[in-house]
Amino acid sequence: MRAEWAGIDRLPTLDLLRLMNAEDRTVAEVVGGRLAAIAVVVDAVAERMERGGRLVYAGAGTAGRLGVLDASECPPTFATAPGQVVALIAGGPPALVSAVEGAEDRSELAVADLAALALTPADSVVGVSASGRTPYTVAAVRQARAAGALTVGLACARGSALVAAAELGIEVEVGAEVVAGSTRLKAGTAQKLVLNLISTAVMVRLGKTYGNLMVDVRAGNEKLRARARRIVAEATGADEVTVRSALAATGGRAKDAILVVLAGVDAPTAERLLAASAGRLREALESVGRQT
């Protein structure tokens, strides 16, 4: 603990918040220094997912919850298939809302959780741990590596057992926390940033976007249906009537609707073109001679 933080409980609230915010600002810079390592992970994961593999997160406590959060946001954002992005947390679902005492120390739980997934060499397992020594997470990575899967260790410490156990490592050293030992602060922020980078960049590599447009959005409610309309309009420049008609014809799928409008094809043809281009809209448009 840094000596100048010993009296934070006596600080005025605004000064306390300024202190915490100043520390938070250092995290993005630290993550920025690890982009080369993260890029290697992204390309390796994307290559395996192209072959039908899964992206699996494994962690305990805050790290596990962050993995669950990232995995749960992939289906609505990128229309990932069920089971394509998976998160394991020590202690299972109850650990999402309350601590499951001792779960993070039980390596056998990780072995069982990974065995249930029947991993293949096309899968990628990212172990997440602030300290890099959580037994559950280290065991998960070791089990995954033994199964032939790609393994990644994400830790906020240097020279950890987790990174040593993994094929690829990302070490994001954020330094001491304002509240000593609380890994939900800078360490948690760093882990969230790195997981955002990994999953988003992987999905971009897999053709889940068109430019920076979220064209694979799953429009399951009115907010997302409105978003799909805006995305199709922005990508095509079409009027509202044309946009709505294209979305209606394609069952609300923005990517298909864009192809219908820009390529002048019907919905079944758009679906076939996207299937032939592995879901990459830009390639589908180029296949019919449309400049992108």
Side-chain angles (χ1 to χ4, degrees):
M1 181 178 72
R2 285 175 16 193
E4 65 269 30
W5 294 347
I8 64 168
D9 53 329
R10 297 179 178 178
L11 289 176
T13 300
L14 183 56
D15 289 344
L16 172 61
L17 296 178
R18 284 173 175 152
L19 171 62
M20 294 177 65
N21 182 242
E23 287 299 309
D24 286 342
R25 285 200 297 270
T26 68
V27 176
E29 182 177 350
V30 174
V31 172
R34 303 304 297 148
L35 292 181
I38 296 169
V40 172
V41 170
V42 167
D43 288 339
V45 172
E47 188 275 327
R48 284 161 177 78
M49 293 189 80
E50 282 273 26
R51 295 190 273 119
R54 296 165 290 181
L55 171 57
V56 181
Y57 298 127
T62 296
R65 294 182 190 103
L66 289 170
V68 171
L69 174 62
D70 197 81
S72 66
E73 290 178 340
C74 286
T77 307
F78 300 112
T80 54
Q84 194 173 13
V85 184
V86 180
L88 303 175
I89 182 169
L96 291 173
V97 293
S98 60
V100 177
E101 294 300 329
E104 70 176 45
D105 296 327
R106 296 181 60 189
S107 299
E108 73 275 13
L109 293 180
V111 173
D113 288 345
L114 268 295
L117 291 179
L119 294 174
T120 76
D123 294 323
S124 304
V125 175
V126 180
V128 188
S129 167
S131 68
R133 59 176 183 267
T134 306
Y136 176 92
T137 312
V138 175
V141 165
R142 287 175 176 159
Q143 176 78 0
R145 193 164 186 177
L150 173 73
T151 53
V152 181
L154 168 57
C156 296
R158 186 177 295 277
S160 68
L162 176 61
V163 170
E167 182 179 344
L168 300 175
I170 302 170
E171 295 175 327
V172 187
E173 295 179 276
V174 296
E177 300 283 9
V178 173
V179 176
S182 179
T183 58
R184 60 181 290 272
L185 298 176
K186 289 193 296 183
T189 299
Q191 291 165 2
K192 179 68 166 69
L193 288 174
V194 174
L195 295 182
N196 277 352
L197 290 169
I198 291 172
S199 60
T200 303
V202 165
M203 294 304 159
V204 172
R205 293 277 77 86
L206 293 177
K208 295 288 189 176
T209 64
Y210 178 60
N212 71 326
L213 296 177
M214 199 170 72
V215 290
D216 254 339
V217 59
R218 183 172 294 167
N221 57 44
E222 183 50 41
K223 179 187 76 172
L224 293 177
R225 285 190 287 272
R227 183 175 297 168
R229 291 193 294 271
R230 290 195 298 272
I231 287 170
V232 175
E234 186 169 349
T236 64
D239 59 53
E240 184 176 356
V241 171
T242 301
V243 168
R244 287 181 178 271
S245 175
L247 283 167
T250 59
R253 296 188 298 275
K255 185 184 287 184
D256 298 55
I258 292 168
L259 192 52
V260 165
V261 175
L262 291 182
V265 299
D266 59 19
T269 300
E271 187 174 3
R272 288 196 298 273
L273 288 169
L274 285 168
S277 62
R280 289 178 167 81
L281 177 55
R282 196 176 298 278
E283 291 182 15
L285 286 165
E286 291 171 352
S287 72
V288 294
R290 176 79 187 197
Q291 295 298 313
T292 61

